Each structure stands twice: as C-alpha cells, then as structure tokens.
Amino acid sequence: MKLTDQQRDAISSDDHTAVVACPGSGKTRAIVAKILSCVDNVRDTPRQVACITYTKTAVYELEHRIRVFGGQGDEDCCEVSTIHAFCHNNILRHFHWLLSEYKEGFIVLPSDSDVYLGIADEIGEEYKLSSYARQQFELLNRKPNGEPISVDEIPKEAALEFWARLEAMGCIDFCNIVYYSYSLLSKHPHIAKGLASKLAYLLVDEFQDTSALQVEILKLISDVGVTKFFLVGDPEQSIFSFAGAERQLMFDFAAYLGAPNLPLSGNFRSSPAIIDCAESLISKNPRMEAVGDSARFTESPEYHDVANNFIGITERFLPAVDALGITVGNCAILAQSWMLLMPLGRQLRNYGIPVVGPGARPYKKRHLFVGLAEQICAYIDKPDTSLIKQTERELFHLINNITGRADFSVYKFSGSRVVVRLLWEGRRLKESHEGAVDWLTAASSKFAEILIEEKLLPQSCLALFNESAANIIAEMKSQGDLDVPNLMATDLGMFANPSKNLKLLTFHGAKGREFQAVALISVQDGRIPYHNKYNPLTQEGHDEAKRLLYVGITRAERMLMIFTDKSDWRNPSPFINDLSISNV
C-alpha cells in the first residue's frame, strides 16, 4: 500500500498517536495501513484490534479495504464498528444483567420502528411537540452524568420520559447503549480490565465527532494500561455539537494519553482554488496543499445571488457542470437543512433531473420494506455483485428491526443463499409485474414467505411486509406530481444505486463524502450561522457554523458554487465576505 511520508510517520509509532487529518488527506488509507500493521502484531495471539468509526458506511468501507489489502484471516483479528455496535457487542450484551434496568435482557429499538415512532408520538402529544420535533428523538444523547443532551425542540423532561418508557418495555435506543455501557464500565472495573486485555490496539476514526460520554469510556479502557490508542480526526470538521461532540475533546484526550499530534496536510481531493477558498475561511497549520489529481484543475469557486435555488441550479450550476463534462451522478447540492432540499428535490425531479435525497423519493425511507425492495430492484436493473453485499446488509437490518436481534448468519453461506434466492425471485416477479405498484404488492408477500420458510423471520412478518408495501404505495399515490401507473419497478432501484443521480444532502449528511462538483444553497445569515429571535447566536454557534461551511466547501473536487436565494428574506451569510471566491 503506497503511503505519503506523513502517513507513514503517523502509523509507524507503536505508542499512543493522535493524527490531525485535513479534508481529503487519505486518512482511510492510513487507518487501514495502521490496522494491518497492528494485526501483524496480534496474529497468533488471543488479543485483537478494534477500530471505532462514526457511520455504518465508514465501517463497510474499512472492512472492504481490509479484505482487499490484508491477508487471509486478517479480518478475524480486528473488529470494525460504530461506537454503538462496539458497546453493544463488547459490553452491554454480556453484562446487561448487572443493570437493574435491563437485568432480564433488552431489545434494541431502531428509530424507524413503529414502536419507537409510537412512543415518540405519545410523548409529543403530552408535551405538545410539533411533528418536526417528534422526528428528533433519535438525535438525543446523554452526558456522563446521565443528563440529556437535548435538541432545541425537545425538553429534557420529555427526553427522560421517552427513555423511561423504553426501559419499561425492555427496549433501548442507540444513545443509551453507550450510556449504560459507560455505567457498567465505571461501576464494575473488571469489565474494563477484561475488555482492555482483549484489545491490544484501539483505533478511533472521526474523533472530532466523539462525545464526552464516549471519551469517558475510552479513558476507562486506557486506564488499564495495556491498550494502545490511535486517534484520527480533524477538529475543524467538528459539527455535531447537538450530539455531544466537542472540538477540544480530541486535543484533551490526546494530552491525557500523552500522544503527540501528527499532521496529515496533503489534500488528495480538491483543486488548489477550492483549497484556497477553504483556507480563507479556516486556516490550518500546516496549511493544506493539493497533492492529488485535482491539483491540475483551475476552475475558480463562484458565488451567485439568484432569484431562487431552483433557478440557480438549473441555469448556473447544471450548465457549468455539463460544460466541464461532469455527469450529474458526480455532483451534489448541499444545504443547512433537509427542509431546504425537500422542495428543490421535487422541482428537479419534475424538471427531469434524476435526483436522490430529500424530496427525491416519492415515499419515506423509514418504511420497513423500503431498503430491501430498493436494493433488489437495483440489482434487477443492473446486476452487480456489490449490490449482493448491500442486500445482505439491508436484510440484516430488517431482521434486527422486526425481531430485535442481530442475526449474523445473514453474512454466512446460508444467508448468502437466501439473498440470492430473494434476488432471483425479485427478477422473476418483474417479468409479470413490471409496474412498481404491482411488483411491491407481489414481492412483499413472496419475500415474506421465503424469509419465514428460511426461519429468519416469524410468521407474523407476512402481515408486516404487506402493510409496509401498502403504505409505500399509498404514499406514492398521495404525491400529486407523480405518475404512479407508469412508475416501473426498476425506478425504485435508483434510490439504492444512485451512481447516476444528482445527490441532495445536508452539510452534516455530506460529511466524509466527495464530489466533482458541489453547489451550496441558501448560504444565508440565520441559516449559516443558524440563529433567530428564539435562538440567539452564541460564539460557539458562530464557530461551529464556520466549520459547517468549511465541511461543505471541502466536499468539492473540481467545481464549487455558492448560492444565496433572493426569495429568502435573510441576508447573505457574513462568512461569504471571508471567502476567496469569484462574485459573479
């Protein structure tokens, strides 16, 4: 694996290390190289390597690269997971019986399950929360003392009542998996000793997104004194304060470990002009430098004040993209909120632009049958072996949502056989049910029958699948601008395999992503930075908003356009004046 001098220096130490990685620095390559180096040290021993990263997508990417670059059996020596999966698999699953709240066991309740949503609605009614606020319970987190880190829309009393009702049902949400794992480690030191004895190395990716509660867990493991830590992150991309993340935590924990801060300053993603734009907003030391293929691009970032976002995208952004020969599948539109993207997504879809993101799907993603149906339709449209793995993941999550248990047999040969059977059946049904409505109706029953026969799901799931498909169809028909009778089954697949679609993402959702061309819309005061008469602007809010814009800018490889919307009464963001950008 080819590494830069900085990457090689970062992974060479066998002691605690903190790596401050700029955007596009190839940190994933450095992490994979470090994992494989650590695996070499633990092979043929009872100890293991663990890597914690922020999202499931990042987990899948790291696992894939370990399989590509590692040797046979290397994946058996390391565990790559999110913090929630790490705590569940290593702590809560084994020691829940020490908790009075979950002495008899627990069911992990995902935020898109009907039970979760039902409790959120009950609490919403009691506390007179808006429909928007009721969708925000999944963003709740906790401090080490158990106090809720509540989003603005949800009072702390409502958060505590929500968790109490989950506990009463023997259920637990993701944030409490972490909280109760910390409780176990802090009250029962032998658990931390056992876990540290197992882990020779613990790598933490995206450390700037780590909360104080998560840091306390890491401290308890490090205090045993037998685990080496490798931290990777960029404090200037710390944008999840609502989830408890704090910019300073990476530096503080590195100091706690006595770990040096080593830089990765070479940017393999963006052009020099885009890097100049980012550096004009937040300067790094050492300064970012363009070292990848994009270093040859000379297009300057542009700022446009347009009549509205739709006109800006269709009359400015897309023509410029086309002139450069960039396909829309390699482009993204970013906004501060999904509420800005929703109407734009509908407008672009009606305009004939293939889009994926808020407003693109003619139904909500949370429906039980959606993920599996979309993946199989994507495979029907274009058979691709990578889609088989993605279908396995969707099946795994579906089983977990219905049964509350993680059935890892899905990833074994028996599970792969079931997935192939589902793909074959989906393809067969398409021959007689080409329309999306007919296919969904037929597939929901047939897929349920297969999964019941394979003993992966209980008999009751037949009704669940049929109900979910009916809800998807009803939601599609409620869209007045959608020609449902002519919607094909293969059209559903574009949401699972969006390589040819224009991406619509929030700034937070775009974290870790990269695109040849990026448009930032509604970059206006009150949005970036966010504030209003009920939420006055603080210094912390101002600084995080600057980092949020920095993240958006650094998603772009070749072309960047920033738009303000004249139809919005808000003034342009004050940050625009700081940017090295062409005002067109």
Side-chain angles (χ1 to χ4, degrees):
M1 188 184 301
K2 186 176 180 181
L3 300 172
T4 66
D5 290 342
Q6 284 186 333
Q7 291 170 338
R8 195 173 294 106
D9 289 343
I11 71 169
S12 61
S13 172
D14 195 41
D15 209 340
H16 301 306
T17 306
V19 180
V20 181
C22 78
S25 61
K27 70 177 181 64
T28 302
R29 175 177 285 264
I31 290 170
V32 171
K34 181 65 176 180
I35 290 173
L36 296 178
S37 173
C38 295
V39 165
D40 284 341
N41 293 335
V42 302
R43 192 180 285 110
D44 300 324
T45 77
R47 305 195 76 192
Q48 285 191 315
V49 180
C51 177
I52 298 172
T53 190
Y54 198 72
T55 65
K56 291 178 182 175
T57 301
V59 170
Y60 301 151
E61 175 65 19
L62 287 169
E63 288 177 337
H64 170 71
R65 294 203 193 188
I66 290 168
R67 286 193 296 269
V68 170
F69 293 107
Q72 185 175 4
D74 280 0
E75 65 271 17
D76 297 330
C77 299
C78 60
E79 173 190 350
V80 182
S81 62
T82 62
I83 183 64
H84 307 98
F86 176 83
C87 289
H88 176 274
N89 296 337
N90 293 286
I91 305 169
L92 196 61
R93 183 160 63 95
H94 301 294
F95 300 103
H96 64 84
W97 54 274
L98 292 170
L99 297 165
S100 59
E101 296 87 350
Y102 295 107
K103 189 175 183 65
E104 303 303 322
F106 60 90
I107 295 173
V108 178
L109 205 59
S111 60
D112 59 353
S113 71
D114 289 340
V115 174
Y116 189 104
L117 295 169
I119 297 173
D121 279 338
E122 289 175 9
I123 301 294
E125 287 292 329
E126 294 177 21
Y127 285 85
K128 296 181 171 51
L129 303 180
S130 68
S131 58
Y132 173 74
R134 297 179 196 190
Q135 299 174 39
Q136 306 306 303
F137 280 92
E138 64 181 314
L139 300 180
L140 293 171
N141 276 281
R142 299 184 92 151
K143 297 179 181 179
N145 64 5
E147 182 182 344
I149 301 173
S150 185
V151 292
D152 293 338
E153 296 81 5
I154 301 176
K156 291 182 179 180
E157 297 76 16
L160 291 170
E161 178 62 23
F162 177 75
W163 290 330
R165 294 198 188 180
L166 289 182
E167 287 177 13
M169 297 175 65
C171 297
I172 192 169
D173 62 357
F174 289 148
C175 85
N176 276 301
I177 289 175
V178 179
Y179 173 70
Y180 282 110
S181 294
Y182 167 67
S183 180
L184 285 166
L185 290 177
S186 60
K187 294 176 182 176
H188 304 280
H190 71 277
I191 299 176
K193 289 180 180 178
L195 183 54
S197 297
K198 171 186 171 183
L199 300 177
Y201 300 92
L202 182 51
L203 291 75
V204 186
D205 185 19
E206 302 288 2
F207 199 94
Q208 76 280 347
D209 298 328
T210 301
S211 69
L213 176 61
Q214 294 165 20
V215 169
E216 290 304 312
I217 290 175
L218 299 176
K219 283 183 177 179
L220 290 170
I221 297 171
S222 72
D223 287 346
V224 179
V226 296
T227 303
K228 299 299 182 184
F229 282 78
F230 185 79
L231 317 176
V232 183
D234 181 4
E236 305 309 336
Q237 295 186 71
S238 179
I239 58 174
F240 289 95
S241 63
F242 60 83
E246 300 175 34
R247 179 185 179 277
Q248 188 61 29
L249 285 175
M250 180 172 179
F251 297 120
D252 290 348
F253 186 55
Y256 184 85
L257 295 172
N261 293 310
L262 303 180
L264 294 183
S265 58
N267 184 314
F268 290 88
R269 176 187 300 151
S270 301
S271 70
I274 291 171
I275 288 175
D276 286 344
C277 183
E279 285 277 340
S280 66
L281 184 67
I282 297 177
S283 60
K284 298 184 73 69
N285 184 21
R287 189 185 191 280
M288 273 193 295
E289 298 293 339
V291 295
D293 292 341
S294 295
R296 70 183 189 277
F297 296 133
T298 59
E299 290 79 16
S300 296
E302 299 178 6
Y303 163 60
H304 301 276
D305 187 29
V306 292
N308 57 61
N309 289 322
F310 177 72
I311 288 176
I313 295 301
T314 56
E315 296 187 5
R316 295 281 191 174
F317 182 66
L318 292 177
V321 163
D322 186 60
L324 291 174
I326 300 173
T327 62
V328 293
N330 289 310
C331 303
I333 300 170
L334 310 185
Q336 174 261 344
S337 166
W338 63 267
M339 291 186 288
L340 293 166
L341 295 167
M342 194 74 109
L344 179 60
R346 292 196 184 100
Q347 288 176 302
L348 291 171
R349 189 180 71 203
N350 294 336
Y351 192 67
I353 304 297
V355 294
V356 63
R361 276 185 176 89
Y363 46 77
K364 292 184 177 67
K365 178 70 167 72
R366 65 175 177 82
H367 291 297
L368 180 72
F369 190 48
V370 161
L372 185 63
E374 288 182 352
Q375 289 293 346
I376 290 176
C377 286
Y379 186 85
I380 292 170
D381 184 44
K382 185 180 179 182
D384 184 335
T385 54
S386 67
L387 294 175
I388 296 177
K389 286 292 182 186
Q390 293 175 31
T391 306
E392 286 179 354
R393 293 172 192 139
E394 288 296 341
L395 180 58
F396 175 84
H397 295 310
L398 185 146
I399 293 171
N400 190 32
N401 288 349
I402 292 175
T403 66
R405 60 182 171 82
D407 190 342
F408 293 99
S409 70
V410 169
Y411 297 113
K412 297 179 180 178
F413 174 77
S414 58
S416 297
R417 180 181 56 78
V418 175
V419 167
V420 171
R421 186 178 174 188
L422 292 172
L423 293 170
W424 182 89
E425 188 62 39
R427 204 170 197 175
R428 187 189 68 79
L429 288 173
K430 189 248 181 186
E431 294 175 2
S432 55
H433 302 84
E434 289 194 0
V437 170
D438 289 346
W439 187 90
L440 282 167
T441 303
S444 62
S445 295
K446 191 61 183 177
F447 289 2
E449 291 172 8
I450 290 173
L451 295 173
I452 293 168
E453 180 187 328
E454 296 284 352
K455 301 188 182 333
L456 290 172
L457 288 176
Q459 185 70 38
S460 60
C461 84
L462 178 58
L464 289 174
F465 273 41
N466 290 338
E467 180 183 356
S468 181
N471 288 338
I472 294 169
I473 293 166
E475 202 166 333
M476 289 195 298
K477 290 181 176 178
S478 71
Q479 303 277 338
D481 56 1
L482 185 65
D483 184 10
V484 176
N486 289 318
L487 189 70
M488 297 292 102
T490 50
D491 291 333
L492 303 177
M494 71 178 181
F495 302 120
N497 188 24
S499 58
K500 297 180 180 178
N501 295 26
L502 177 64
K503 317 304 188 289
L504 275 64
L505 298 160
T506 62
F507 285 87
H508 290 94
K511 184 81 166 26
R513 307 282 295 276
E514 56 187 32
F515 309 94
Q516 290 185 26
V518 171
L520 312 182
I521 63 169
S522 293
V523 182
Q524 289 166 266
D525 193 18
R527 300 193 186 281
I528 304 177
Y530 173 75
H531 62 90
N532 53 43
K533 64 180 180 180
Y534 304 106
N535 298 280
L537 184 62
T538 64
Q539 186 62 50
E540 292 80 6
H542 173 276
D543 294 345
E544 180 159 337
K546 181 180 282 192
R547 297 195 295 270
L548 189 68
L549 183 57
Y550 178 83
V551 166
I553 289 169
T554 54
R555 300 311 94 195
E557 298 174 4
R558 181 176 183 180
M559 194 182 87
L560 173 69
M561 283 191 184
I562 297 178
F563 293 101
T564 48
D565 182 348
K566 290 179 180 177
S567 68
D568 189 333
W569 56 268
R570 296 170 180 83
N571 293 322
S573 169
F575 298 135
I576 290 177
N577 293 328
D578 298 331
L579 298 178
S580 172
I581 193 168
S582 299
N583 191 337
V584 180

